[in-house]
Amino acid sequence: MAKTVAVVGTRGYPSYYGGFETAVRKIAPFLADQGWDVNVYCRPGSTKDDDAARDPRVRTTTTQGLESKSLSTLSFGLTAVLHCLREKPDVALVMNVANGFWLPLLKLRGIPTVVNVDGIEWERAKWNGFAKLVFKLGARLTARFGTLLVSDAVEIQRRWKEDFGRESVFIPYGGDVPAPLEVVPGLAHDSYVLMVARFVPENTVSEFFQAVEDIAGEHPVVIVGSSGYGGSFDEDAKALGARHPNVTWLGHLSDDNKLLSLWQHAGVYFHGHSVGGTNPALVQAMACGAPVVARRTAYNSEVLDSPEHLVSADPAVIAGALRHMLSDDDLRLKARHANRERAILHYNWADVCGRYERALVSAMEPSGKPANQLAVGKAT
């Protein structure tokens, strides 16, 4: 009989919203290949069921919830868990510590859990005090009731050991090395600045926009992303495009090939994420061979492993680093090669998916070993 796994805590399959959704698009078909019966819980209207790349072997179940910035994760997580209790899969893959509130229910039902703890959510500037409290309490409950925890970065692994006394396994995100793609019409290869990010303060959006004011007269700039709920950053991006003919704001982009092409042909990709672990966008940019300038954080340093391309969150410093990368052909060529090779070696999806499967099996069959001794992956 096939092993059964329920995936809780994402917008569904196939969905293109963020890192969790990207991971599920890779992990779910991989598990189906290995003979698992996979059921992914979904939110209404958040999936592309007519996507030609959708694997028909992956089952989906849509539940209801409150679609709001503060309550969506909690409410959709609860309805998914309540349905999961009835189905009683062999194991549940749970994304996001906000769902820690519902882990006691799964434990009482005898359903072991593998929980991806994501970043340190309660330190994100986008959340108000109540939301930060919810995430911190969810993390404490995750530490207490999660069967096996997954950290997507070595630094996250360290923080969970230090803050909550819980071991976790290190499993990062992966990236795909795409075949050569055509340049997006209107752009030229190796010439433009690219930013891909959700519009929240901790992604250095404001500082990057100020840097764009400085460099847009010299270089084309492409901005991909939005807040998802409207707001001042969306208005600022629109205004940048209106003031500078060189600036193109594409909003949220769900066309994978177009996004991959943008990374593949960028003269420099700016990655400003400051809170979280291994960021999927950074890994994918590296796999595409994009030259990267990133905000200096423990997480970005761990993934990029190029300290010379890390910068402070200062608009003038960001602008200077982008200009420097765009002005040096040899530097860009070296960065392209180094980033692609590092992604292939340390951040490939085949390895990542295999680690997740081993984590699920380990959760189902407790070995008594500490999590950091389980053979599901190691720090690089």
Side-chain angles (χ1 to χ4, degrees), residues 295-308:
R295 179 167 171 176
R296 183 178 291 107
T297 69
Y299 311 113
N300 294 339
S301 177
E302 176 185 321
V303 176
L304 193 59
D305 195 34
S306 296
E308 68 272 24

Side-chain angles (χ1 to χ4, degrees), residues 287-359:
C288 288
V292 177
V293 168
R295 179 167 171 176
R296 183 178 291 107
T297 69
Y299 311 113
N300 294 339
S301 177
E302 176 185 321
V303 176
L304 193 59
D305 195 34
S306 296
E308 68 272 24
H309 298 314
L310 301 174
V311 297
S312 63
D314 179 283
V317 174
I318 294 169
L322 297 175
R323 278 199 183 94
H324 178 57
M325 183 69 82
L326 286 168
S327 69
D328 192 325
D329 293 349
D330 289 339
L331 183 64
R332 290 197 307 280
L333 187 63
K334 180 181 176 182
R336 286 186 186 280
H337 177 76
N339 291 344
R340 186 184 294 110
E341 290 305 304
R342 181 163 176 78
I344 291 170
L345 184 60
H346 296 295
Y347 301 99
N348 65 83
W349 276 118
D351 183 40
V352 169
C353 291
R355 295 188 195 188
Y356 266 101
E357 184 187 22
R358 292 194 292 276

Side-chain angles (χ1 to χ4, degrees), residues 110-343:
I111 302 172
T113 52
V114 172
V115 187
N116 182 317
V117 300
D118 199 22
I120 311 299
E121 286 289 328
W122 51 94
E123 294 183 358
R124 292 186 187 270
K126 70 175 181 176
W127 299 119
N128 60 28
F130 173 73
K132 290 180 180 181
L133 177 62
V134 166
F135 279 116
K136 192 63 177 286
L137 290 175
R140 293 191 183 281
L141 289 166
T142 297
R144 181 174 179 183
F145 293 102
T147 307
L148 189 149
L149 308 187
V150 170
S151 295
D152 65 30
V154 176
E155 177 64 13
I156 296 293
Q157 194 178 46
R158 184 192 69 79
R159 282 289 304 271
W160 273 76
K161 175 63 175 175
E162 181 179 287
D163 296 353
F164 302 105
R166 272 299 302 264
E167 298 283 1
S168 59
V169 296
F170 167 65
I171 309 178
Y173 288 98
D176 292 311
V177 177
L181 297 165
E182 295 293 326
V183 183
V184 172
L187 299 173
H189 173 70
D190 205 31
S191 68
Y192 56 90
V193 177
L194 174 66
M195 181 188 193
V196 179
R198 194 173 303 164
F199 286 179
V200 291
E202 59 267 24
N203 288 348
T204 325
V205 176
S206 176
E207 295 86 350
F208 176 75
F209 284 179
Q210 292 175 63
V212 169
E213 295 278 13
D214 186 25
I215 64 176
E218 309 163 50
H219 304 286
V221 178
V222 180
I223 302 169
V224 177
S226 71
S227 69
Y229 296 91
S232 61
F233 283 143
D234 295 69
E235 293 168 6
D236 291 344
K238 184 177 181 180
L240 274 174
R243 284 195 299 273
H244 301 285
N246 254 352
V247 176
T248 303
W249 176 41
L250 297 176
H252 177 71
L253 192 60
S254 59
D255 183 336
D256 270 4
N257 281 338
K258 186 173 184 179
L259 186 55
L260 293 173
S261 171
L262 287 171
W263 272 315
Q264 199 173 72
H265 295 286
V268 57
Y269 166 63
F270 176 71
H271 186 80
H273 296 62
S274 64
V275 179
T278 297
N279 185 271
L282 176 55
V283 169
Q284 187 56 66
M286 292 166 63
C288 288
V292 177
V293 168
R295 179 167 171 176
R296 183 178 291 107
T297 69
Y299 311 113
N300 294 339
S301 177
E302 176 185 321
V303 176
L304 193 59
D305 195 34
S306 296
E308 68 272 24
H309 298 314
L310 301 174
V311 297
S312 63
D314 179 283
V317 174
I318 294 169
L322 297 175
R323 278 199 183 94
H324 178 57
M325 183 69 82
L326 286 168
S327 69
D328 192 325
D329 293 349
D330 289 339
L331 183 64
R332 290 197 307 280
L333 187 63
K334 180 181 176 182
R336 286 186 186 280
H337 177 76
N339 291 344
R340 186 184 294 110
E341 290 305 304
R342 181 163 176 78

